[in-house]
């Protein structure tokens, strides 16, 4: 079950009359049910879209969903103390006579509830230096780097993303990359209440398309890159891009920083041309921010970040791979655009020793490099395997699967990337969810069959732990083993059941079980 959302200790108090006035100002179609026109004034103390999370005095947002309508759960919300319901015409029709609560009807309640939550909780994002990060790959690492820079500059920070939610020094597991708007605004209100001055958040394309971040005001936003993913939700890459691009609308974001590395395609260049005053970054010129005197190593990189107006900032990054040079440059550019002193920002970025499940080294005395990474798109797999090739003298060994109930078109491309760029590839299960694991693996191997020059020896081992053990059994001095796809996740989902499974723990145990002689990892 989803854990309850955090709420501020001091609950707001707004009236239903004020809510109707707000919706009228927003131009939303709204009307009062005849039964509640003369009712005593209703006071609202919170808002939620989840009937299980309703607290007394809440506005319950009964939203249309892909499998059910929130109106179906309005009786449960009322039993928990909901004071009123916000819904669409279909929800209002379903509720007619079934709940004894005022019902406010709008044409687009999913969009409206974001604005309502922002208003109800006192517009908390305007009391924070709020920085957003979007893109296909690199969001989590970039967000962690930005957070480190903010801390070094003296901010008390909040962090919100795929791996964790953090309020100052309190950590909470994240349920999704970007929460629903009602939870999100309450979370920012908690941050403000606890003295947080700056926050960094990952912003997913789903959140932008579903209006979850409407009402937020960003001091700056970062676009890392765009490559194939989520085409189970977005009809085309163009739709996917347009969802991401919403974050950079001038009424939403004050400063825009955009990655334009050539290998990431032309989407960044298109976005930069669209957004006046945007700042670009890439490891190489002619971006506004680029890396000079670059040295890339297995333990990180050093370089001079060259920026606008002749800025030259020495940087040390403790994360391996050239792509983390790009992530560090983007983080620095965003921090500077938000008013952070460049050297303080760079110093903070240099303190980040690692990000859970992102090129995370596993040290168990083995004489080869072992890494766990979240790479779960064709571009991410290609980037990781290309990067590690330059870090070792030996072979590249990869363990890779594809998730079920997600973009199926990327599976052959991921299999093909493994076949082209690794020496040994072990294809295995990821999170099959409701799909047949054998069918997912067949789609991956179909991509390999289309590779003209497959460098890798490919082995299919459906059991993920067995595949990891097989990869470790092959590894020798100077090699690198990359276990890709699940990263920080601590469970494996199949047919609605989540079984404990952490790639990091399984990989470490496999290394220990292999009984390799103690050596120095590369």
């Amino acid at each position: 079950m989803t854990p309850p959302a955090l709420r501020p200790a001091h609950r707001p108090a707004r009236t239903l009359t004020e809510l109707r006035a707000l919706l009228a100002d927003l131009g939303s179609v709204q009307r009062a049910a005849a039964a509640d026109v003369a009712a005593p004034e209703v006071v609202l103390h919170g808002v939620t879209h989840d009937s299980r999370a309703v607290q007394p005095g809440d506005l319950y947002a009964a939203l249309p969903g892909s499998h059910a309508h929130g109106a179906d759960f309005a009786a449960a919300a009322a039993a928990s103390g909901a004071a009123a319901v916000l819904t669409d015409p279909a929800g209002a029709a379903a509720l007619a006579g079934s709940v004894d609560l005022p019902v406010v009807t709008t044409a687009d309640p999913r969009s409206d509830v974001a604005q309502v939550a922002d208003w109800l909780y006192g517009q908390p994002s305007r009391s924070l230096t709020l920085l957003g990060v979007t893109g296909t790959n690199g969001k989590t690492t970039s967000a962690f780097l930005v957070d480190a820079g903010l801390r070094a500059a003296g901010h008390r920070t909040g962090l919100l993303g795929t791996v964790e939610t953090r309020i100052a020094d309190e950590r909470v597991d994240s349920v999704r990359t970007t929460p629903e708007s009602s939870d999100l605004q309450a979370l920012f209100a908690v941050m403000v209440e606890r003295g947080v001055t700056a926050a960094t958040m990952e912003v997913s394309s789903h959140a932008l398309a579903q209006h979850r971040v409407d009402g937020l005001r960003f001091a700056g936003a970062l676009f890392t890159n765009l490559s194939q993913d989520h085409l189970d939700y977005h009809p085309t890459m163009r739709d996917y891009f347009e969802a991401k691009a919403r974050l950079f609308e001038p009424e939403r974001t004050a400063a825009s920083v955009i990655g334009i590395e050539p290998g990431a395609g032309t989407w960044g260049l298109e976005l930069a041309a669209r957004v006046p005053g945007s700042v670009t970054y890439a490891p190489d010129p002619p971006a506004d921010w680029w890396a000079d005197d670059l040295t890339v190593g297995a333990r990180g990189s050093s370089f001079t970040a060259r920026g606008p107006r002749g800025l030259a900032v020495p940087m040390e990054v403790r994360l391996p791979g050239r792509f983390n040079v790009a992530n560090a440059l983007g983080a620095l550019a965003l921090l500077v655009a938000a008013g952070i002193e460049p050297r303080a920002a760079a110093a903070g970025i240099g303190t980040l020793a690692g990000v859970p499940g992102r090129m995370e080294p596993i040290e168990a005395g083995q004489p080869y490099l072992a890494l766990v990474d979240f790479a779960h798109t064709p571009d991410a797999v290609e980037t990781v395997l290309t990067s590690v090739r330059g870090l070792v003298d030996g072979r590249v060994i990869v363990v890779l699967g594809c998730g079920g109930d997600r973009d199926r078109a990327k599976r052959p491309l991921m299999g093909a990337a493994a076949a082209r760029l690794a020496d040994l590839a072990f294809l295995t299960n990821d999170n099959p969810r409701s799909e047949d694991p054998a069918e997912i693996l067949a789609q991956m191997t179909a991509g390999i069959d289309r590779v003209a020059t497959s460098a890798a020896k490919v082995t299919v081992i459906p059991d993920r732990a067995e595949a990891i053990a097989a990869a470790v059994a092959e590894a020798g001095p100077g090699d690198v083993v990359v276990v890709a796809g699940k990263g920080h996740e601590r469970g494996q989902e199949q047919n609605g059941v989540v079984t404990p499974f952490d790639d990091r723990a399984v990989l470490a145990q496999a290394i220990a079980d292999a009984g390799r002689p103690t050596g120095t990892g590369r």
Side-chain angles (χ1 to χ4, degrees):
M1 179 176 172
T2 301
L6 291 170
R7 300 284 193 102
H10 301 287
R11 304 192 70 196
R14 301 278 195 171
T15 68
L16 191 60
T17 299
E18 290 173 319
L19 171 64
R20 294 189 192 284
L22 171 71
L23 292 170
D25 289 342
L26 293 174
S28 298
V29 177
Q30 47 84 43
R31 62 177 182 270
D36 69 71
V37 170
E41 183 62 282
V42 172
V43 178
L44 304 171
H45 295 290
V47 56
T48 182
H49 67 286
D50 187 343
S51 62
R52 299 164 297 179
V54 168
Q55 297 181 13
D58 274 354
L59 173 69
Y60 171 56
L63 307 178
S66 56
H67 303 294
H69 198 292
D72 298 339
F73 309 99
S80 294
V85 178
L86 173 69
T87 191
D88 62 356
L95 290 173
S98 64
V99 293
D100 187 22
L101 293 175
V103 177
V104 179
T105 309
T106 74
D108 189 0
R110 184 171 291 279
S111 175
D112 291 334
V113 74
Q115 302 287 351
V116 168
D118 179 53
W119 162 78
L120 189 64
Y121 290 115
Q123 299 185 313
S125 68
R126 288 157 176 77
S127 298
L128 299 166
T129 297
L130 179 61
L131 302 177
V133 181
T134 198
T136 304
N137 302 311
K139 293 191 299 297
T140 297
T141 298
S142 296
F144 270 73
L145 290 165
V146 170
D147 177 76
L150 289 169
R151 286 176 173 240
H155 280 284
R156 184 176 173 87
T157 66
L159 180 65
L160 177 62
T162 307
V163 173
E164 68 181 23
T165 295
R166 189 191 309 145
I167 305 171
D169 295 322
E170 179 186 353
R171 287 173 169 80
V172 180
D173 285 345
S174 294
V175 176
R176 56 168 59 91
T177 299
T178 312
E180 291 285 355
S181 57
S182 55
D183 293 344
L184 191 58
Q185 294 289 357
L187 176 61
F188 286 132
V190 171
M191 289 186 182
V192 172
E193 194 173 67
R194 297 186 187 178
V196 168
T197 58
T200 309
M201 68 175 295
E202 297 178 48
V203 185
S204 68
S205 61
H206 292 67
L208 287 157
Q210 295 172 7
H211 303 285
R212 295 183 211 161
V213 294
D214 287 8
L216 297 180
R217 178 63 179 170
F218 293 87
L222 170 66
F223 177 89
T224 60
N225 49 61
L226 195 83
S227 63
Q228 182 171 332
D229 199 11
H230 301 306
L231 296 189
D232 54 322
Y233 178 80
H234 302 286
T236 66
M237 283 295 294
R238 171 59 58 182
D239 291 294
Y240 182 30
F241 170 74
E242 292 298 342
K244 296 284 191 185
R246 293 182 188 179
L247 181 58
F248 300 89
E249 295 167 351
E251 62 273 16
R252 195 190 302 267
T253 296
S256 298
V257 174
I258 299 169
I260 59 167
E261 187 170 11
T266 61
W267 297 108
L269 290 169
E270 179 177 342
L271 183 60
R274 180 185 298 192
V275 181
S278 58
V279 175
T280 61
Y281 73 94
D284 301 303
D288 297 319
W289 283 95
W290 57 282
D292 196 9
D293 301 321
L294 173 61
T295 300
V296 180
R299 300 300 177 200
S301 304
S302 63
F303 57 94
T304 298
R306 302 285 181 181
R309 299 175 298 281
L311 278 172
V313 186
M315 295 194 73
E316 299 280 344
V317 180
R318 298 169 66 184
L319 309 177
R322 178 181 168 88
F323 62 92
N324 275 320
V325 173
N327 289 334
L329 280 168
L332 178 66
L334 179 61
L335 288 161
V336 172
I340 303 301
E341 197 280 320
R343 287 182 180 268
I349 287 170
T351 65
L352 186 68
V355 179
R358 272 62 178 175
M359 288 289 276
E360 184 174 352
I362 304 301
E363 302 284 1
Q366 77 278 9
Y368 53 89
L369 184 62
L371 300 168
V372 170
D373 193 77
F374 193 52
H376 62 286
T377 69
D379 181 71
V381 172
E382 181 165 345
T383 298
V384 166
L385 296 183
T386 301
S387 294
V388 300
R389 176 70 70 182
L391 301 180
V392 297
D393 299 324
R395 299 171 302 168
V396 174
I397 304 170
V398 65
V399 178
L400 179 67
C402 292
D405 300 335
R406 299 293 186 268
D407 182 359
R408 299 185 181 198
K410 69 183 181 181
R411 295 169 185 170
L413 302 177
M414 291 172 64
R420 283 189 295 107
L421 299 170
D423 296 293
L424 299 174
F426 293 87
L427 303 189
T428 189
N429 291 338
D430 187 288
N431 291 305
R433 299 185 177 90
S434 71
E435 288 194 62
D436 179 357
E439 179 60 27
I440 296 173
L441 285 166
Q443 291 168 3
M444 293 182 71
T445 56
I448 295 171
D449 294 340
R450 295 198 290 268
V451 176
T453 55
S454 176
K457 174 185 175 183
V458 179
T459 304
V460 177
I461 302 178
D463 184 278
R464 192 172 182 89
E466 291 180 10
I468 292 172
V472 166
E474 290 284 352
D479 292 342
V480 57
V481 175
V482 180
V483 179
K486 287 171 58 59
H488 65 285
E489 295 175 356
R490 296 195 293 268
Q492 187 173 39
E493 182 179 351
Q494 184 169 6
N495 296 324
V497 177
V498 178
T499 303
F501 196 103
D502 187 326
D503 278 352
R504 297 164 294 185
V506 174
L507 178 55
Q509 186 62 53
I511 294 170
D513 291 344
R516 298 289 185 183
T518 301
T520 302
R522 296 178 64 88

